[in-house]
Amino acid sequence: MTQHELRAGVIGLGMIGGGVAVSLARRGRVPVVYDIRPDAAEALPDVDAPLSSPADVAKASDVVMIAVVDAEQARTVIAGPEGVLAGAHPGLTLVLLSTVALPVVRELADLCAEHEVGFLDCGVTPGDRAAENGMVAILGGDAAVVAAAEPVLRDWAKKVVHCGPLGAGMATKIARNVVTYGSWRTVHEAAALAGAAGVDPAKLAEVIETADPQGRTLLQLLHSRDAQGELPETLSRKIEPLMSKDLTAARDLSTELHVDIPLADVARTHVRDTLDLPMEEPQGTAHERGLAVMDAVYGDGFSQNMPAASTPFTDTTTDHLFGEVWSRPGLSVRDRRLLVLGATAALGRADLVQIQVRGALVTRDLTPDELRESALQLAYYVGWGNATATHQGIEAALADTAQEKK
């Protein structure tokens, strides 16, 4: 069978599936289609009315695109009593366009393999360009199956990217979504910060769009990686001081304006990790390191409150607890603080809770709302009496911090 003779089918005629069907029809490969709505194809130019079942689509197709909402619908249209596999024939290939978890991809692929049906997981983006032959097909699966289906895929996708074996397409789509939604959160924080400073967020958008109309900055680090996937150390070391300085400035401005920017704070905490740089080796003696870590945990100047006289207890606290334990990799300061806060809550000591909360507020590890929520969460594990003391310690620290800001 030539590439022009391959028959196409589409199951699910929503925005993506309907758009795929329209793109196929415009290329002359008019698909057979199915949707639970009998009138689903009426608004789709040159697309014929739906067949009566997914099985009928399979019988009349060589490559079937499945664009349903979730995993349960995918299972039904593939393996249900009138599903695709009920009408499968040798050489049939299923292309799953729905975003589902990787275990579901493997489950569906195994079902297809039992019927000698090819299976590809295929993330797609952007969905609103489906009817314009404007999506990218993000494929995972066997190379031979990809090659067999590619003529049909190219009739609705502007680019076909084979990312690797089964699951690779879905993993790439999920990772791409992290970039999308993570960027939305970043923009939300940036707009809130600009707005609090009296800047119209539209001006922020104007600056970004004018300075980088192609959005290259967003993927700069990704494109800078070498063949082994590593960033050149010279580049990372050049970026590090600038990244640290700018994110620290953002933290300082957000503190002044009382704007929460948790994602930016995470970026500031993980600068070296983002740039693939090793953790810095602790400098100085254990005592000097301990004092520095104390200030990092509880705020600049905290270590100056340590008693001047040396005792075994204060020396161990400084040199070992802070100089060696709090400074270890593996857990962030925020992670360690939450553990200590939970243990302190179990003691019912509002004064000790207050110390931890003040540190969390100074370093911006936790917001006031997160701290108050922590007291409620802990109540069910440490008892209401201890939680009352925890709540009192949190509120006292919040009140003190608010007074200091005035």
Side-chain angles (χ1 to χ4, degrees):
M1 181 180 296
T2 69
Q3 64 178 25
H4 301 294
E5 294 173 329
L6 287 172
R7 301 166 301 168
V10 179
I11 295 175
L13 298 177
M15 179 178 68
I16 291 176
V20 167
V22 169
S23 288
L24 285 166
R26 285 176 175 167
R27 294 295 182 95
R29 201 186 301 271
V30 179
V32 292
V33 300
Y34 171 79
D35 194 281
I36 58 174
R37 300 165 296 153
D39 60 349
E42 289 181 1
L44 303 178
D46 301 319
V47 177
D48 294 337
L51 301 184
S52 60
S53 71
D56 288 337
V57 172
K59 293 173 185 176
S61 304
D62 299 301
V63 180
V64 176
M65 274 62 62
I66 298 175
V68 293
V69 175
D70 54 27
E72 195 54 43
Q73 288 188 4
R75 291 187 182 99
T76 299
V77 301
I78 291 175
E82 295 186 311
V84 173
L85 295 179
H89 57 82
L92 179 65
T93 298
L94 303 191
V95 184
L96 180 66
L97 308 185
S98 311
T99 301
V100 299
L102 263 63
V104 176
V105 169
R106 290 188 281 269
E107 170 196 337
L108 297 176
D110 287 344
L111 286 173
C112 289
E114 292 174 5
H115 290 77
E116 299 183 349
V117 169
F119 183 90
L120 300 174
D121 56 283
C122 182
V124 292
T125 187
D128 60 353
R129 301 292 302 279
E132 305 167 27
N133 193 240
M135 292 196 300
V136 178
I138 311 166
L139 289 169
D142 184 80
V145 179
V146 172
E150 192 164 359
V152 171
L153 302 177
R154 291 195 179 279
D155 275 350
W156 58 261
K158 66 178 179 180
K159 188 173 182 63
V160 176
V161 181
H162 184 201
C163 299
L166 188 73
M170 204 61 62
T172 305
K173 171 63 186 298
I174 291 169
R176 188 256 197 270
N177 288 348
V178 170
V179 173
T180 298
Y181 300 131
S183 299
W184 287 1
R185 175 64 205 185
T186 301
V187 170
H188 171 82
E189 292 185 10
L193 193 58
V199 178
D200 182 352
K203 295 297 183 183
L204 173 63
E206 181 181 351
V207 168
I208 294 171
E209 290 171 346
T210 304
D212 187 11
Q214 302 301 319
R216 287 189 293 266
T217 303
L218 183 65
L219 299 176
Q220 182 177 353
L221 288 186
L222 191 59
H223 289 316
S224 297
R225 295 183 181 277
D226 60 22
Q228 286 71 46
E230 298 177 354
L231 284 170
E233 185 174 345
T234 53
L235 174 64
S236 294
R237 293 198 179 279
K238 182 178 179 180
I239 295 173
E240 181 195 11
L242 301 174
M243 186 173 174
S244 296
K245 172 182 68 67
D246 291 346
L247 288 171
T248 298
R251 179 202 61 185
D252 293 343
L253 181 60
S254 69
T255 300
E256 177 185 345
L257 299 176
H258 309 298
V259 176
D260 289 329
I261 52 170
L263 193 60
D265 287 336
V266 170
R268 178 179 57 84
T269 303
H270 294 279
V271 167
R272 295 185 67 84
D273 185 46
T274 299
L275 299 174
D276 291 348
L277 290 173
M279 294 298 294
E280 291 181 309
E281 291 296 326
Q283 302 296 314
T285 65
H287 189 75
E288 291 170 339
R289 293 198 304 272
L291 294 175
V293 172
M294 273 188 193
D295 288 343
V297 173
Y298 295 112
D300 292 341
F302 182 88
S303 61
Q304 297 173 12
N305 298 323
M306 291 294 291
S310 174
T311 69
F313 179 80
T314 58
D315 286 348
T316 300
T317 299
T318 303
D319 302 355
H320 178 63
L321 177 59
F322 286 94
E324 297 181 7
V325 177
W326 271 86
S327 62
R328 286 174 57 83
L331 292 175
S332 67
V333 169
R334 185 180 190 274
D335 294 336
R336 295 180 189 278
R337 192 187 308 284
L338 285 170
L339 291 171
V340 173
L341 184 59
T344 306
L347 299 175
R349 291 283 303 274
D351 55 337
L352 298 179
V353 168
Q354 190 171 350
I355 293 172
Q356 289 300 323
V357 172
R358 285 181 62 86
L361 293 170
V362 169
T363 60
R364 298 181 63 82
D365 285 340
L366 296 162
T367 67
D369 286 344
E370 289 171 336
L371 287 161
R372 288 180 170 124
E373 187 66 26
S374 297
L376 179 60
Q377 177 74 19
L378 287 165
Y380 290 89
Y381 295 89
V382 302
W384 213 262
N386 287 339
T388 300
T390 301
H391 173 73
Q392 291 171 344
I394 290 172
E395 293 300 326
L398 292 174
D400 287 348
T401 303
Q403 186 62 37
E404 290 169 3
K405 289 179 178 178
K406 293 180 181 179

